[in-house]
Amino acid sequence: MPKRIERVLLDRETIARRVEELAHEIAEDVTRHVGDIHVHSDNSKSITLVPLLTGSVIFLADLIRHLPLMMRIRMLAVSSYPGKSTESQGVTIESALPDDLSDQHVIIIDDILDSGRTLAAVRQTLVARGAASVKACVLLRKMLPTALSVPVDYVGFDIEDAFVVGYGLDYDGYYRNLPDVVTLTQEAMV
Ligand code: IMP
Ligand code: MG
């Protein structure tokens, strides 16, 4: 059996603690800017989360269970790393976009900020659809000048510039189910 996991960058307990903290940050911020939209409060406002498929699904599932806000979820399929590539190949939005986002406070949810092209493209598209506000939340941000220069409102962890998988992130579609964020060995990346 080839050894596939090289190094654990973030273990599941560390991720779980930070995701819960992030959710509190978001809930406080939303309450400040949109008003009290907790599920037990009595009003009609809500936010719209736009998670980017497929990498953000595990993060999304954990995050929203710590976010007791009125929300809708509109998934967007976006691809930038087809197949075995480990460098962004340009951004394609592959699913239908919500027609009308006027008055909606939107939060884009993504797994990782690398070149920042995905986030910039999606943000621009959602702003063009008339969203009242567009914020962005990423679990990971690579410490690269490109990634650090992209405006993002909520960041889980700043990590070194390495190709990582697990907790939703993939290499050639695999490894999304690993509970920790890890790097792969050379043998696994063929
Ligand atoms: P960006 O457009 O270059 O910022 O890339 C963002 C997207 O590329 C993420 O949503 C991921 O799907 C993918 N990506 C970037 N870096 C990695 C990585 O280290 N591992 C797995 N996927 C990555
Ligand atoms: Mg992705």
Side-chain angles (χ1 to χ4, degrees):
M1 269 278 274
K3 187 174 176 289
R4 297 179 195 277
I5 296 173
E6 183 186 61
R7 197 156 50 93
V8 175
L9 243 71
L10 300 166
D11 63 53
R12 61 203 80 179
E13 291 82 13
T14 306
I15 298 170
R17 275 195 302 273
R18 182 64 189 131
V19 169
E20 189 170 349
E21 266 174 28
L22 257 186
H24 292 305
E25 261 178 57
I26 294 173
E28 271 180 27
D29 210 31
V30 166
T31 305
R32 222 176 5 251
H33 289 105
V34 181
D36 184 9
I37 56 165
H38 284 81
V39 287
H40 302 299
S41 71
D42 177 27
N43 71 40
S44 59
K45 283 190 233 154
S46 78
I47 54 171
T48 300
L49 299 191
V50 177
L52 308 189
L53 291 172
T54 305
S56 70
V57 293
I58 315 261
F59 176 38
L60 173 79
D62 285 345
L63 185 75
I64 59 176
R65 283 178 289 172
H66 292 294
L67 270 181
L69 306 175
M70 288 299 286
M71 66 171 69
R72 293 194 181 104
I73 298 173
R74 294 293 309 252
M75 304 258 190
L76 266 198
V78 175
S79 102
S80 59
Y81 282 48
K84 296 184 177 181
S85 51
T86 57
E87 270 172 39
S88 177
Q89 308 290 310
V91 181
T92 327
I93 296 178
E94 291 167 342
S95 51
L97 284 154
D99 296 330
D100 186 16
L101 287 171
S102 45
D103 303 331
Q104 280 300 304
H105 293 277
V106 174
I107 305 178
I108 303 165
I109 311 283
D110 204 4
D111 49 3
I112 189 165
L113 189 58
D114 183 359
S115 74
R117 278 190 232 155
T118 306
L119 202 54
V122 172
R123 183 193 289 274
Q124 200 179 31
T125 309
L126 297 175
V127 168
R129 299 266 157 161
S133 69
V134 180
K135 293 200 169 187
C137 171
V138 295
L139 177 71
L140 308 173
R141 175 171 62 183
K142 288 190 190 170
M143 286 190 285
L144 292 171
T146 44
L148 293 169
S149 69
V150 176
V152 53
D153 304 277
Y154 316 103
V155 177
F157 300 92
D158 279 313
I159 61 163
E160 65 194 78
D161 178 21
F163 193 81
V164 293
V165 299
Y167 199 74
L169 293 114
D170 73 301
Y171 172 66
D172 195 21
Y174 294 105
Y175 307 107
R176 296 193 195 276
N177 53 320
L178 297 180
D180 309 312
V181 171
V182 305
T183 57
L184 294 175
T185 59
Q186 287 299 329
E187 299 142 271
M189 300 195 40
V190 286

